Amino acid sequence: MLTAHTIKVLQSLDKKKFRQKYNLFLVEGNKIICELPDSKFKIKEIFSTDPQKLDRTDVPITHISENELKKISFLQNPKDSVAVCYINPEEKLEDKNFQLVLDGIQDPGNLGTIIRLADWFGIEQIICSEDTVDFYNPKVIMASMGSFTRVNMVYTNLVEYLSQTENVNIGTDMNGENIYDFERPEKINLILGNEGNGMRPETEKLLQKSIMIPRFGKSQSTESLNVSMAAGIILGQLFRV
């Protein structure tokens, strides 16, 4: 049985300030929870409606009711278990040959999908502006579908970083080079801008190359692509054999 205090603490973890206060975040669903032992993330405890399905003896597991699960879950249709995990200290790895750089991405679903794309294409590190949505946001974790365990996230001052990196800074622009004719440099930072405003002017000034996805449809009704959708198209083309 969960105490009122525990429920209150877990419910508060949907906000960044409380995640930082307690140094904790939530991971929901047995499928994703089962990926945690092979990752750098340490589990504090698990609350489950069916603990036997998890088959874990190394961490405390509390058997809870469906009603209690609904109280601590951030999902409309809660899954079977919720794991409470410790937030890891941020660690910047050395620059990789291919990195994603996010300038002010605000939608948790977009960030989660981009992390999942990075994992799919073997991109080990994503560099984020300081105002990009928090990596530990429950919606980001859920949208990444476990990929958050395999992609390193770094939050930093983008102007400083992009000024110093040895990778070629590449961004999207309607007047840029056609992605289907573009020759990928050996070392690349692919920069994706804010959903509504695109890249900041100070970020755009540090671009060395620009690319664009050509429109094949005749209708001009669609002004732009969702940022995570655009990322998928660009990555698929840049990683072609």
Side-chain angles (χ1 to χ4, degrees):
M1 178 144 180
L2 294 178
T3 65
H5 174 71
T6 298
I7 292 172
K8 184 178 179 181
V9 169
L10 296 181
Q11 288 176 339
S12 74
L13 297 180
D14 68 330
K15 295 182 174 59
K16 183 177 179 179
K17 67 177 181 179
F18 290 111
R19 291 194 292 272
Q20 292 176 334
K21 176 182 177 179
Y22 297 114
N23 198 44
L24 299 171
F25 73 104
L26 296 188
V27 176
E28 300 199 40
N30 286 351
K31 185 177 184 298
I32 302 177
I33 291 171
C34 287
E35 296 189 42
L36 292 171
D38 297 323
S39 76
K40 61 184 179 180
F41 294 100
K42 185 179 177 183
I43 301 172
K44 179 177 185 286
E45 56 189 323
I46 298 174
F47 300 98
S48 178
T49 57
D50 193 353
Q52 289 184 329
K53 282 188 177 178
L54 288 165
D55 192 27
R56 299 289 299 273
T57 57
D58 56 325
V59 295
I61 301 181
T62 300
H63 190 179
I64 60 173
S65 66
E66 295 276 355
N67 190 46
E68 287 175 315
L69 180 64
K70 288 178 182 177
K71 289 180 180 178
I72 63 173
S73 173
F74 298 127
L75 299 175
Q76 195 166 6
N77 298 301
K79 298 184 182 290
D80 26 43
S81 305
V82 171
V84 185
C85 301
Y86 293 103
I87 290 175
N88 284 334
E90 188 173 283
E91 174 189 11
K92 185 184 183 303
L93 308 177
E94 61 181 28
D95 277 2
K96 304 297 179 181
N97 285 349
F98 198 116
Q99 296 183 141
L100 292 179
V101 177
L102 309 183
D103 187 9
I105 298 296
Q106 295 298 300
D107 183 84
N110 280 336
L111 179 56
T113 302
I114 290 168
I115 292 170
R116 198 173 176 186
L117 282 168
D119 183 28
W120 182 265
F121 286 99
I123 298 169
E124 298 175 42
Q125 183 162 253
I126 298 177
I127 310 293
C128 303
S129 63
E130 291 163 325
D131 63 341
T132 290
V133 62
D134 183 33
F135 166 59
Y136 293 105
N137 182 303
K139 293 178 181 176
V140 174
I141 297 297
M142 184 53 61
S144 77
M145 294 300 292
S147 290
F148 75 92
T149 63
R150 293 178 289 274
V151 179
N152 191 51
M153 303 290 291
V154 178
Y155 287 75
T156 190
N157 182 306
L158 280 196
V159 171
E160 289 181 9
Y161 170 72
L162 294 174
S163 300
Q164 298 168 2
T165 180
E166 294 182 5
N167 287 15
V168 179
N169 296 326
I170 296 174
T172 56
D173 187 287
M174 288 307 293
N175 297 316
E177 187 176 341
N178 188 322
I179 183 63
Y180 299 109
D181 299 325
F182 183 70
E183 289 295 326
R184 169 182 154 185
E186 185 179 346
K187 296 188 175 184
I188 176 174
N189 285 329
L190 175 61
I191 305 168
L192 303 170
N194 174 271
E195 292 88 344
N197 302 317
M199 274 175 277
R200 292 177 177 83
E202 53 267 39
T203 302
E204 205 164 357
K205 286 178 183 176
L206 295 168
L207 294 182
Q208 289 144 306
K209 291 180 182 289
S210 293
I211 54 177
M212 65 89 158
I213 302 170
R215 185 203 305 263
F216 293 98
K218 294 180 180 179
S219 170
Q220 300 297 306
S221 300
T222 303
E223 294 181 4
S224 61
L225 293 171
N226 171 283
V227 64
S228 57
M229 186 186 298
I233 294 170
I234 294 168
L235 292 174
Q237 180 63 16
L238 292 181
F239 278 89
R240 73 192 186 281
V241 177

